[in-house]
């Protein structure tokens, strides 16, 4: 009886090559392909047997609710920080202005301030389960902050390779959580190649935008559907760096669809910065392959990726759902960021504001008329406050006297403000 049970559990998921669909069996802790990415295929029959769907539908959304959908052997050992569902919040201003039903999925409200935490919970749990002595990863910042945090919770050392120019607040998070940072003189993809080599040679667990991470990040899709009471939106707008998160949304929606929890899969809209638009370039040419860029140039550091490892998955998701990919300029990103903070009271990092910039840019064509749209706000504005501070310049300063304050009157206050003084 007991043995039978175990046999079922061993086959509850498969690791395969995303393109050839052949099963892969790595001997080390490196769960990524060489040329094409790998993926995890959950045995959805097995998942279904684990769930009481009526009960599942009523349960409050949160990360641990979705454990039966994750490739975790021993769920009692899952590395959890008691994550709550992130808010799905109706737009107060922009939706009305554009004339459609718009909500924001505020992924900044994860434990370390970005959606990466969903994936890190799974990756670090798997690393721990497999007995890895340490994890290593390359990151543009948020992945590093997140993995360092979860590695601390799992009591595993965490080594982080960052390219030059990573925002200081993100590095501060890594240091605070006891992660070890090494700066690599080059771009993100240089750091990623190096991390992979070191992981293989030293027997460390390679964390990052690889197969296991998707299984955590797909929970954002589950959560969104739960919050919408199992009514799928028409469009979901997602920023693309490596493409892993957009691919994860697709997988989450697909698994819910397969289980009959939703009746349709939303159209996925992928957004890149014009200075880092490898996926958009392929989309425009109707290709299913990615050509790496020689260099990247954008304020949105979290999506400054020259060679998106999951770009192929992202393209497939966009084509399959009938969505599209669009690039926005740094100026459009900064305007959207300012709009979000001043009009919607949401301070997000520039990479996240890219989705709103894309919405503003594409709404004119009427694609969203009478549709329900969810815009993913992937990370917290405090993580990259420099983008804002650089715009502001020097602070005004004065002696602590009321007359000094009045000196700023003309400079500072509109007629409207003055009425209250
Ligand atoms: C990582 C990240 C992205 C890009 O996600 P990918 O999975 O690399 O496509 C976007 N925004 C923020 C805030 C991020 O941290």
């Amino acid at each position: 009886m007991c043995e039978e049970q175990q046999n079922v559990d061993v086959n509850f998921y498969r690791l395969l090559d995303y393109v050839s669909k052949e099963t892969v069996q790595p001997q080390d802790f490196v769960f990524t392909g060489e040329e094409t990415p790998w993926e995890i295929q959950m045995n959805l029959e097995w998942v279904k047997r684990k769930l009481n769907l009526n009960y599942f539908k009523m349960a409050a959304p949160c990360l641990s609710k979705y454990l039966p959908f994750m490739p975790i052997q021993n769920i009692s050992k899952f590395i959890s920080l008691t994550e709550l569902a992130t808010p799905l919040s109706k737009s107060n201003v922009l939706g009305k202005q554009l004339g459609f039903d718009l909500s924001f999925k505020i992924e900044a409200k994860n434990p370390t301030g970005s959606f990466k935490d969903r994936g890190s919970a799974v990756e670090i749990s798997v690393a721990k389960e497999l007995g890895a002595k340490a994890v290593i990863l390359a990151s543009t910042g948020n992945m590093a902050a997140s993995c360092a945090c979860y590695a601390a919770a799992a009591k595993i050392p965490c080594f982080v390779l960052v390219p030059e120019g990573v925002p200081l607040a993100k590095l501060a998070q890594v240091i605070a959580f006891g992660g070890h940072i090494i700066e690599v003189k080059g771009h993100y993809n240089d750091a990623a190649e190096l991390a992979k080599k070191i992981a293989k040679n030293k027997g460390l667990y390679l964390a990052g935008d690889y197969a296991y991470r998707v299984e955590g990040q797909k929970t954002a899709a589950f959560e969104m559907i739960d919050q919408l009471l199992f009514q799928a939106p028409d469009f979901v707008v997602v920023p693309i760096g490596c493409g892993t998160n957009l691919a994860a949304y697709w997988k989450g929606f697909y698994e819910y669809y397969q289980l009959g929890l939703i009746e349709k899969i939303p159209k996925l809209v992928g957004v890149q910065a014009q200075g880092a638009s490898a996926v958009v370039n392929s989309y425009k040419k109707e290709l299913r392959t990615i050509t790496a860029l020689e260099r990247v140039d954008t304020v949105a550091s979290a999506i400054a990726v020259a060679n998106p490892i999951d770009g192929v998955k992202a393209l497939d998701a966009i084509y399959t759902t009938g969505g599209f990919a669009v690039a926005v300029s740094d100026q459009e990103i900064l305007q959207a960021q300012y709009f979000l903070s001043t009009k919607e009271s949401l301070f997000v990092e520039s990479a996240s504001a890219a989705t709103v910039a894309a919405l503003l840019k594409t709404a004119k064509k009427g694609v969203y008329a009478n549709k329900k749209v969810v815009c993913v706000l992937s990370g917290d504005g405090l993580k990259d406050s420099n983008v804002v501070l650089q715009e502001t310049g020097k602070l005004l300063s004065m002696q602590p006297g009321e007359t000094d304050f009045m000196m700023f009157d003309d400079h500072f206050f509109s007629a409207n403000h003055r009425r209250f003084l």
Side-chain angles (χ1 to χ4, degrees), residues 301-371:
S301 59
I303 50 173
V305 178
N307 190 13
I309 174 156
D310 280 335
V312 174
K313 289 186 188 175
L315 282 169
D316 284 350
I318 289 165
Y319 293 132
T320 311
T321 60
F324 55 92
V326 58
V328 286
S329 70
D330 278 5
Q331 200 195 345
E332 288 167 323
I333 289 175
L334 292 174
Q335 279 168 353
Q337 187 182 33
Y338 184 72
F339 184 97
L340 274 171
S341 51
T342 54
K343 297 286 196 293
E344 304 271 5
S345 301
L346 293 168
F347 181 30
V348 301
E349 67 169 289
S350 44
S352 316
T355 55
V356 173
L359 212 57
L360 287 165
K361 190 168 184 162
T362 53
K364 293 176 204 117
K365 297 175 191 153
V367 273
Y368 312 112
N370 302 319
K371 302 288 185 202

Side-chain angles (χ1 to χ4, degrees), residues 137-301:
L137 66 140
S139 169
T140 61
N142 286 338
M143 177 87 72
S146 178
C147 285
C149 175
Y150 279 83
K155 302 186 183 68
I156 311 179
C158 178
F159 296 93
V160 169
L161 305 182
V162 294
E164 292 164 293
V166 169
L168 287 178
K170 299 181 184 181
L171 296 185
Q173 282 185 295
V174 177
I175 295 165
F177 292 123
H180 309 285
I181 303 178
I182 304 136
E183 187 182 74
V184 177
K185 301 212 176 300
H187 288 298
Y188 165 77
N189 284 107
D190 301 316
E193 278 306 307
L194 183 60
K196 190 165 163 182
K197 274 191 204 138
I198 298 175
K200 280 189 172 162
N201 294 335
K202 301 275 179 209
L204 310 184
Y205 184 99
L206 179 68
D209 283 314
Y210 310 121
Y212 281 104
R213 172 159 296 273
V214 172
E215 301 309 300
Q217 287 176 189
K218 72 185 179 186
T219 62
F222 298 159
E223 218 175 80
M224 181 192 297
I225 296 296
D226 290 12
Q227 289 168 321
L228 291 169
L229 306 176
F230 297 90
Q231 301 296 309
D234 298 294
F235 289 91
V236 176
V237 191
V238 187
I240 298 181
C242 287
T244 312
N245 201 37
L246 188 138
Y249 272 95
W250 149 250
K251 195 164 193 282
F253 291 133
Y254 176 77
E255 289 181 358
Y256 256 31
Y257 180 78
Q258 289 290 309
L259 290 184
L261 287 164
I262 44 174
E263 284 176 0
K264 66 168 185 203
I265 294 181
K267 292 184 164 72
L268 287 164
V269 179
V271 184
Q272 292 193 296
Q274 272 168 5
S277 59
V279 175
V280 175
N281 294 351
S282 296
Y283 173 79
K284 282 187 181 155
K285 295 184 203 146
E286 296 179 30
L287 297 174
R288 284 183 183 264
T289 51
I290 297 287
T291 306
L293 304 169
E294 300 225 328
R295 73 187 83 81
V296 288
D297 178 18
T298 170
V299 284
S301 59

Side-chain angles (χ1 to χ4, degrees), residues 110 114-121 142-143 146 209 213 217 302:
N110 279 293
S114 85
F115 69 82
K116 297 287 196 304
D117 294 335
R118 298 177 183 275
S120 303
N142 286 338
M143 177 87 72
S146 178
D209 283 314
R213 172 159 296 273
Q217 287 176 189

Side-chain angles (χ1 to χ4, degrees), residues 66-115:
Y66 312 113
L67 272 167
F69 289 85
M70 296 181 201
I72 305 285
Q73 299 277 354
N74 185 350
I75 58 171
S76 68
K77 298 256 175 73
F78 184 62
I79 308 295
S80 166
L81 300 172
T82 328
E83 299 83 356
L84 302 173
T86 62
L88 181 74
S89 151
K90 266 241 158 49
S91 158
N92 288 321
V93 179
L94 191 59
K96 288 196 192 89
Q97 196 169 308
L98 296 174
F100 52 79
D101 180 346
L102 174 65
S103 300
F104 300 114
K105 181 73 175 146
I106 309 176
E107 287 292 282
K109 301 295 182 203
N110 279 293
T112 72
S114 85
F115 69 82

